[in-house]
Amino acid sequence: MGSKVKEPKPEWIKIKLTAGEHYQEIKTMMRSKTLHTVCEEARCPNIYECWANRTATFMILGDICTRACRFCAVNTGLPTELDLKEPERVAEAAEQMNLQHCVVTSVARDDLKDGGASIFAETIKAIRRKLPLCSVEVLIPDFMGNKEALQIVMDAKPDILNHNIETVERLSDQVRAKAKYERSLELLQRAKEMQPGIPTKSSIMLGLGEEWEEILQTMDDLRAVDCNIMTIGQYLQPSNKHLYVQRYVTPEEFAKLKEEGLAHGFSHVESGPMVRSSYHAHEQVKSAANSNYVV
């Protein structure tokens, strides 16, 4: 998708990496419970900030993804791990961290009949048993369009159902592996039909060659399926094997897109160069609660 950006990263992309006390504490706990976090596996730039604030996004179903999306740093291959006790360990970690909002995501597990939906559901239930007042957000794959798998997750009633559309429609097939733009919209629509009271959320990356009008069209498409929360961030190339950055979007453009998103009717828009899907997720719950949705 075009040539590599020649100029160095702009100042607004550079972050200060400071591993504080809570960072090491959380890392040690995750290893002791043999848990994975998307913070580490996807090389999230906000890991030090989030872990310093004792927040983390748990990644269940192992650390090997059956897909090889051209933007993602997570390892790909044939998974061998399916740990039925994992939901309890996630809940124990959430309890130990005394979380008020817990985000759970996963690798894609196309090798499983339900794509791992049942483990998502059990994780939601386990967290609720340990922390009844903790809200739970799940960031799910598309389950290859399996409606029954989605129903399993929605029946567990997460507080927020998150599924990322990742990019604009024109670039979707070049950026994502197996996932389809229309399938993502269909999943978000079905989720709302199954549980109208549960807010839905999606995210896109910028800097892959998308046009301004295409971003606005993506907002229109998400709102057409009643998606409530949107996050917008800068794509950063994880390695030389991944897609090149076509351009660095300015903070001013991100601010304008936040305005556009709110004008489109999203209850909350998180937009900025370093924003990732679960960045400031706890604040998004408050925004959803202050809208017409009960969480």
Side-chain angles (χ1 to χ4, degrees):
M1 289 177 59
S3 58
K4 186 176 181 179
V5 171
K6 299 296 192 297
E7 68 270 17
K9 291 179 181 177
E11 286 299 319
W12 63 80
I13 293 294
K14 298 175 183 177
I15 57 175
K16 185 178 180 180
L17 302 180
T18 304
E21 176 185 352
H22 291 320
Y23 172 87
Q24 191 57 51
E25 177 188 345
I26 292 174
K27 185 172 183 177
T28 300
M29 180 185 65
M30 294 295 180
R31 296 297 82 78
S32 69
K33 295 185 180 298
T34 61
L35 295 174
H36 304 289
T37 67
V38 75
C39 321
E40 296 172 288
E41 303 299 335
R43 305 175 194 173
C44 180
N46 303 312
I47 185 170
Y48 295 104
E49 176 188 351
C50 292
W51 284 24
N53 292 325
R54 300 183 67 83
T55 61
T57 299
F58 297 98
M59 190 172 78
I60 60 174
L61 296 166
D63 62 349
I64 300 177
C65 185
T66 54
R67 303 184 187 183
C69 293
R70 298 166 186 87
F71 66 89
C72 184
V74 174
N75 292 327
T76 63
L78 183 63
T80 58
E81 182 176 350
L82 182 60
D83 187 348
L84 299 181
K85 296 181 179 179
E86 187 175 45
E88 285 298 329
R89 294 202 309 280
V90 170
E92 289 168 2
E95 182 182 36
Q96 190 170 330
M97 294 170 68
N98 194 27
L99 297 183
Q100 293 182 324
H101 181 70
C102 185
V103 183
V104 180
T105 189
S106 77
V107 292
R109 290 295 302 265
D110 298 328
D111 59 311
L112 301 176
K113 184 177 180 180
D114 70 351
S118 57
I119 301 296
F120 266 107
E122 289 305 315
T123 303
I124 295 168
K125 295 172 186 176
I127 294 169
R128 293 247 170 83
R129 286 194 295 268
K130 294 283 188 182
L131 291 168
L133 299 181
C134 179
S135 53
V136 184
E137 173 180 335
V138 291
L139 169 54
I140 63 172
D142 62 14
F143 300 135
M144 294 297 287
N146 184 333
K147 186 176 180 179
E148 290 72 26
L150 177 60
Q151 187 73 65
I152 291 170
V153 175
M154 299 310 293
D155 285 347
K157 296 186 177 180
D159 293 282
I160 292 182
L161 188 285
N162 186 353
H163 172 69
N164 290 340
I165 203 160
E166 304 294 8
T167 187
V168 300
E169 184 174 17
R170 176 176 58 87
L171 301 177
S172 187
D173 288 345
Q174 302 172 58
V175 173
R176 308 163 84 195
K178 297 185 182 178
K180 300 295 181 183
Y181 187 88
E182 285 299 326
R183 186 192 293 158
S184 289
L185 292 174
E186 185 179 70
L187 180 148
L188 292 165
Q189 183 174 29
R190 284 177 172 173
K192 190 54 66 72
E193 290 170 351
M194 292 173 181
Q195 295 285 354
I198 295 179
T200 51
K201 172 181 171 182
S202 196
S203 178
I204 62 170
M205 306 169 288
L206 303 185
L208 287 163
E210 67 288 325
E211 301 293 337
W212 186 267
E213 289 303 318
E214 292 177 310
I215 303 171
L216 299 186
Q217 182 60 55
T218 303
M219 290 183 180
D220 287 336
D221 294 341
L222 289 171
R223 288 299 299 134
V225 295
D226 199 18
C227 183
N228 310 107
I229 301 168
M230 185 176 190
T231 60
I232 309 170
Q234 170 71 52
Y235 167 68
L236 298 175
Q237 185 183 9
S239 76
N240 291 333
K241 298 178 181 179
H242 293 84
L243 293 171
Y244 293 139
V245 175
Q246 298 301 304
R247 79 181 186 100
Y248 293 108
V249 180
T250 66
E252 291 76 18
E253 289 175 281
F254 278 111
K256 179 62 176 175
L257 284 170
K258 179 170 183 173
E259 294 177 5
E260 290 281 1
L262 293 173
H264 274 69
F266 291 99
S267 65
H268 186 100
V269 178
E270 199 76 42
S271 180
M274 307 310 291
V275 166
R276 295 299 180 265
S277 185
S278 50
Y279 188 57
H280 290 175
H282 60 290
E283 296 178 3
Q284 298 159 22
V285 176
K286 295 176 183 177
S287 294
N290 290 330
S291 69
N292 294 326
Y293 295 90
V294 179
V295 297

